[in-house]
Amino acid sequence: MQEKELYDLFHRQPFQPLRVVMKDGRSFEARFPRLAIVRPNCLYLGIPIPSDPDPVIPISDPIERLPLRDIDRVELLGTAINSTP
C-alpha cells in the first residue's frame, strides 16, 4: 500500500468508511478520518472508545500503528459520510 493512495482514501469527500485488512488477517474499521494519520511508512489509526458521547469528534484509545508494508488491502464500507462538520 502506498501512502499517497491511503491518504487519498482518508481525504476524499464525502468520506466513505474503510476496513484496513492486514496480511496477518487482522482488520481495523476506520469510520472517522480524523482518527487516521498517514505517514511515509505507517498508518496510525485511532480506535474510538465504545462509550464516546460525541461520535462527530471521536475520542480514540488505543492507537494502532500499522506498517504500510503489512497492509494487505483496504475495503470500502457502507455509505459515504461527510467528514467535515
Side-chain angles (χ1 to χ4, degrees):
M1 173 70 49
Q2 298 294 318
E3 66 263 15
K4 174 72 169 113
E5 178 184 9
L6 196 55
Y7 179 90
D8 289 346
L9 285 171
F10 277 105
H11 288 88
R12 69 188 208 173
Q13 291 294 324
F15 174 71
Q16 186 166 353
L18 310 167
R19 176 180 295 120
V20 179
V21 181
M22 306 302 290
K23 291 178 181 175
D24 65 6
R26 295 178 299 148
S27 65
F28 303 89
E29 288 192 3
R31 297 193 173 274
F32 306 99
R34 294 177 183 203
L35 296 183
I37 299 173
V38 179
R39 300 286 298 157
N41 296 314
C42 68
L43 166 65
Y44 290 96
L45 186 61
I47 308 301
I49 61 173
S51 60
D52 191 351
D54 186 358
V56 175
I57 304 175
I59 298 172
S60 68
D61 185 41
I63 296 175
E64 295 286 338
R65 182 184 181 277
L66 308 173
L68 298 186
R69 69 178 179 276
D70 294 338
I71 296 175
D72 182 51
R73 66 186 180 279
V74 176
E75 303 168 346
L76 298 177
L77 296 176
T79 310
I81 58 172
N82 191 342
S83 64
T84 56

